Amino acid sequence: MMNKEKAILLMYCKDKRGILAEVTNFIMGNNGNIINLDQHVDQDENYFFMRIEWELEGFSIPNEKIEEYFSTLIAFKYSAWYKLHFEPNKPNIAIFVSQYSHCFLDILSRYEAGEWKINIPCIISNHEKFRSITDRFGIPFFYFPVKKDNKKILEAEELALLKEKNVDLIILARYMQILSNEFCAKYPNQIINIHHSTLPAFPGAKPYESAFKRGVKFMGASAHYVTADLDEGPIIAQDVISISHRDSISDMKRKGRNIEKIVLANACWAHLNHQVLTYNNKTVVFD
Amino acid sequence: MMNKEKAILLMYCKDKRGILAEVTNFIMGNNGNIINLDQHVDQDENYFFMRIEWELEGFSIPNEKIEEYFSTLIAFKYSAWYKLHFEPNKPNIAIFVSQYSHCFLDILSRYEAGEWKINIPCIISNHEKFRSITDRFGIPFFYFPVKKDNKKILEAEELALLKEKNVDLIILARYMQILSNEFCAKYPNQIINIHHSTLPAFPGAKPYESAFKRGVKFMGASAHYVTADLDEGPIIAQDVISISHRDSISDMKRKGRNIEKIVLANACWAHLNHQVLTYNNKTVVFD
Amino acid sequence: MMNKEKAILLMYCKDKRGILAEVTNFIMGNNGNIINLDQHVDQDENYFFMRIEWELEGFSIPNEKIEEYFSTLIAFKYSAWYKLHFEPNKPNIAIFVSQYSHCFLDILSRYEAGEWKINIPCIISNHEKFRSITDRFGIPFFYFPVKKDNKKILEAEELALLKEKNVDLIILARYMQILSNEFCAKYPNQIINIHHSTLPAFPGAKPYESAFKRGVKFMGASAHYVTADLDEGPIIAQDVISISHRDSISDMKRKGRNIEKIVLANACWAHLNHQVLTYNNKTVVFD
Amino acid sequence: MMNKEKAILLMYCKDKRGILAEVTNFIMGNNGNIINLDQHVDQDENYFFMRIEWELEGFSIPNEKIEEYFSTLIAFKYSAWYKLHFEPNKPNIAIFVSQYSHCFLDILSRYEAGEWKINIPCIISNHEKFRSITDRFGIPFFYFPVKKDNKKILEAEELALLKEKNVDLIILARYMQILSNEFCAKYPNQIINIHHSTLPAFPGAKPYESAFKRGVKFMGASAHYVTADLDEGPIIAQDVISISHRDSISDMKRKGRNIEKIVLANACWAHLNHQVLTYNNKTVVFD
């Protein structure tokens, strides 16, 4: 929206009296203009969370020193986890895709329209199916035919590619392969997957079939960070739609595609805007 | 709405060519005026379902013979399950309640307002807490302090009472006791429970606490017929609301009460209007 | 789903006793296998609506005679409006677009994925902006720089093109020009527009700005058939999302794009599947 | 929830650098423990909003002086509107009701269950209909048969009663009389009404009938502060449900009652918890 340079700080720690004032004073005392502050206290578990955004023009601490100063003066004292981002910034995003195009094309559309300010240095797939459409968008396509027996080798190649391309975020756009724990560990809270059910209901394969069998009256989709435990990572976004006995499995799949792509996009948007904090395997998503 | 006498037939069977025409002809050929017809074919499992409603004025088959004729001429041929209801009819409803009043008072309000045309011959509770408010509505209150060791005896007394009162439907309005299998078996598809989660997510006790811990972005409530398997019966109605990190467990409970009472009421309404068919542990709910 | 040839009949008329049986008998008496029947009676206004779908294999009336027979034997008698469709059939769809790509690219994605079985013989735009992306999908792009003073001439050219391409349905995918009454009259119930508000709230231009100013807590989108009265045509589909004071106009636009494209797609899907009937400036949408 | 004494400050002003820090310092510098802070900047209109909640134990400024100090030291400087509340506090609420009981009984149920910590010193009605049920809850019932010709006199009596009872909030629970401008002016942002449509769609009488006629696919309810302009006051809460051609006007009324009572309750809850700020005829509702 605006092009002025700004910093965004995400942090959390055990809640202690005075933490909020100390952080705001750190910024305002150094002549930073706070343009957004979101704060949350989880009173059930006694955590303090904050997202604070300020303009860097006139800020007395040089950009490359902010992290050090914040760490020394505040984070250390409160044993706080934190992450500092600068904007504007154009992150590098890799999309993993298999044989369903709806999430994949939805992301390309947002990229094409300039809705998301991102680079897409690579599309990675275990099928050749979407090479042609990827080409049309002028994005490099990489084919890794991952199978059980070559998984280790191909994942290593994928990781090398991701490293070379400086990838900040990996989006699994209905990617039908399970990433190894080692792979996941390289990109903590940087891999977003879309699962086609309202987790924790119907994890695993064929959630629409299971939902149909159970006769539920709502179905949905969940976007989550990928962790070693399949479908168990921190949920970033969910959405649901009502269904009835009139919906066949085929109807559920068709309707499901609509929420899958929107939920995945919403989760990525929140991540890209540094609105997501993760703790205890769940998320705080500031809006 | 209207006071003309009418019949409502619910039926289902394996789908066969001609079944729809045969039933409509049975009614119209005997001079019945069909005022509502809902039909559904589950193409994934090949079942045919129907709900048909017709005015009895001028119908050539006397009321007390309709069931026999239908059974002989049609149900037998198609191995169909069916149920015949007559309207107007004022069913007898028993409410089981423990210590939460929101669903309970919501039902009493609908009864008081005449929204539901029902009799409430008894409120049954394992606590004395709501005797006074029940009295104010002029409804008999029965206290059965069910515990592990007296369950068998007290359930027998409850069953005797329900039989004496000619109860057609039992509503568990946040009743915190598990009914025995024997009890459930006496009222198949006639006991409706409200569970405070979107089943199958978070069955069992403390669903709000579990949902909080899992960090879901939606929560809900499910009304279902009670079967021997706890929280596993056919789901009649569900609803959801979005939640965020801002919602404490206490907020979730407060918001949850709103959907619990509405979902329970919607399920009971559908049941009372003979809109619900059960098969394969799920429901068809015509609307 | 299935490729067997079938017919779909949509009809409505003033409700009269016997109409349902007469139609089902017309089909079954001629050896048609009914695979879907939806029927609705608007009891407030006394209309009867039906959608009936049957397999043509073995049907005794030849396809090209069905309409004549139905018209003579039934429609005439009941003064019924009706429309007969045959499947499989691949309709020709024209998309009108201006400068927003989200709805447009969403439709192209569904086309590309084979979700919609359609031909897109032309994209029509009053801007050159999307020529390049259209080219990439291999679809002919036509530029008609409609202005006040050339509208009559260019609309005539557009109509000629649409006729030449045998267009069955026109989708206005955020097309920012108002079609003349004459244009609309050529394609009754064949032009679908997406309006970015929950009509009738906020018709006309800048609905998000108006919604922001009014401080509503929900916003939405409406897909409707285009009639001479702007934003007043029969609504086919709507959806909403909750918003709060935290949503700026820019947030509303971003969130709005998500529902706009889904609502438009849902309306088009219903139309393409012959599920929509129009009467009294509103719709029956069978599902 | 907790019984510790605390203060809640609501404020807003034109956004200026430093305002947030100044307020937090005012509280923490005087040894107040902030337990909740919500802040919002309307960047489209450049307003700053805040809700801040702190524990009073150990706070150096005595309760009766807080307002004066805040006014002098901060509010004056920023030309800020503000309101200070103390908790725990049990507000006095008057309910106005006519002939529909659903919202009315829903509030009484929350009161009875202790969900809302309030006094209800009077129920006011222009009908005798609900005297008996009110009596059962032990609440004084006042009958004011307001008509065109006696409105002035009876409103004066009502106002005298409200004053005598020290009423803090008036809830119009489907009260079917329009309050005069003079009446409204006595209780600015202290009268909450429920309107049975998603305003601004379908203001005025018979919204369900209008929604039916227009053929909308969603309907809803809106709770708003009452101002001199009927149905034009600031919206506090809204909710919607999807409807279809299957819903008769009578179905819409039945379904509508469910959302009316929940939306009204949600709006009152937010008001009672001092979460609502009003500006430019709209609301900020912190959660």
Side-chain angles (χ1 to χ4, degrees), chain B residues 82-138:
Chain B
Y82 70 92
K83 186 134 202 187
L84 185 69
H85 301 273
F86 293 103
E87 290 282 344
N89 174 47
K90 227 176 170 179
N92 295 318
I93 291 179
I95 306 174
F96 281 54
V97 68
S98 291
Q99 307 214 62
Y100 296 111
S101 64
H102 54 289
C103 291
F104 172 54
L105 289 180
D106 187 63
I107 295 168
L108 292 197
S109 299
R110 291 168 199 271
Y111 165 72
E112 173 82 20
E115 182 179 307
W116 291 3
K117 312 288 183 227
I118 56 171
N119 301 309
I120 305 184
C122 56
I123 306 293
I124 289 174
S125 183
N126 56 336
H127 293 272
E128 285 279 16
K129 190 172 173 186
F130 298 132
R131 182 184 289 278
S132 141
I133 183 92
T134 303
D135 285 352
R136 285 187 248 160
F137 283 83

Side-chain angles (χ1 to χ4, degrees), chain C residues 3-237:
Chain C
N3 293 311
K4 280 197 191 165
E5 226 193 335
K6 57 189 183 182
I8 296 160
L9 178 77
L10 287 168
M11 65 166 287
Y12 77 90
C13 56
K14 279 284 165 187
D15 191 24
K16 266 189 209 153
R17 206 164 169 150
I19 170 75
L20 175 73
E22 204 152 336
V23 178
T24 54
N25 285 338
F26 170 75
I27 293 163
M28 289 189 293
N30 290 298
N31 206 32
N33 185 29
I34 294 174
I35 50 177
N36 235 307
L37 181 154
D38 270 300
Q39 166 261 13
H40 169 65
V41 176
D42 176 339
Q43 290 180 328
D44 294 286
E45 308 201 4
N46 199 38
Y47 280 103
F48 172 87
F49 302 87
M50 190 158 65
R51 180 187 188 279
I52 193 160
E53 194 176 335
W54 71 99
E55 290 173 351
L56 289 168
E57 199 183 343
F59 195 54
S60 17
I61 308 171
N63 290 9
E64 65 280 7
K65 288 284 183 183
I66 298 175
E67 184 156 347
E68 182 198 321
Y69 280 43
F70 180 78
S71 170
T72 308
L73 298 173
I74 296 177
F76 180 76
K77 183 169 158 194
Y78 289 95
S79 308
W81 177 97
Y82 70 93
K83 187 135 199 185
L84 184 69
H85 302 273
F86 293 103
E87 290 283 345
N89 175 45
K90 226 175 169 180
N92 295 316
I93 291 180
I95 306 173
F96 281 55
V97 67
S98 290
Q99 307 214 60
Y100 296 111
S101 64
H102 54 289
C103 291
F104 172 53
L105 289 180
D106 187 63
I107 296 168
L108 292 197
S109 299
R110 292 168 197 272
Y111 165 71
E112 174 81 21
E115 181 178 308
W116 291 3
K117 312 287 182 227
I118 55 171
N119 302 307
I120 306 184
C122 55
I123 305 294
I124 290 174
S125 181
N126 57 336
H127 293 272
E128 286 279 16
K129 189 172 174 184
F130 297 133
R131 181 184 291 277
S132 141
I133 183 92
T134 304
D135 285 352
R136 283 187 249 162
F137 282 82
I139 302 169
F141 181 91
F142 297 88
Y143 172 51
F144 292 97
V146 179
K147 299 257 147 61
K148 237 183 190 165
D149 57 350
N150 65 7
K151 188 167 186 165
K152 219 166 182 163
I153 298 165
L154 291 191
E155 279 202 346
E157 291 179 21
E158 288 172 343
L159 285 168
L161 176 66
L162 296 168
K163 202 178 169 189
E164 181 205 323
K165 300 290 189 185
N166 249 319
V167 162
D168 300 294
L169 173 67
I170 296 165
I171 303 177
L172 307 185
R174 298 295 310 271
Y175 182 62
M176 307 303 275
Q177 287 283 331
I178 296 169
L179 301 176
S180 71
N181 294 356
E182 295 71 35
F183 192 112
C184 296
K186 297 270 187 205
Y187 287 93
N189 293 332
Q190 287 171 287
I191 311 175
I192 297 179
N193 182 46
I194 180 72
H195 181 78
H196 43 314
S197 85
T198 38
L199 293 170
F202 312 121
K206 301 202 167 283
Y208 291 136
E209 283 79 356
S210 308
F212 178 83
K213 197 170 170 340
R214 182 61 186 93
V216 290
K217 306 302 185 191
F218 274 87
M219 54 174 246
S222 309
H224 61 95
Y225 286 123
V226 175
T227 58
D229 294 318
L230 186 65
D231 299 334
E232 294 285 337
I235 296 167
I236 309 165

Side-chain angles (χ1 to χ4, degrees), chain B residues 154-167:
Chain B
L154 291 192
E155 279 202 347
E157 291 181 20
E158 287 171 342
L159 285 168
L161 176 65
L162 295 169
K163 202 177 168 191
E164 180 205 324
K165 300 290 189 186
N166 248 318
V167 162

Side-chain angles (χ1 to χ4, degrees), chain A residues 215-227:
Chain A
V216 290
K217 305 303 184 190
F218 274 87
M219 54 172 247
S222 309
H224 62 94
Y225 285 123
V226 174
T227 58

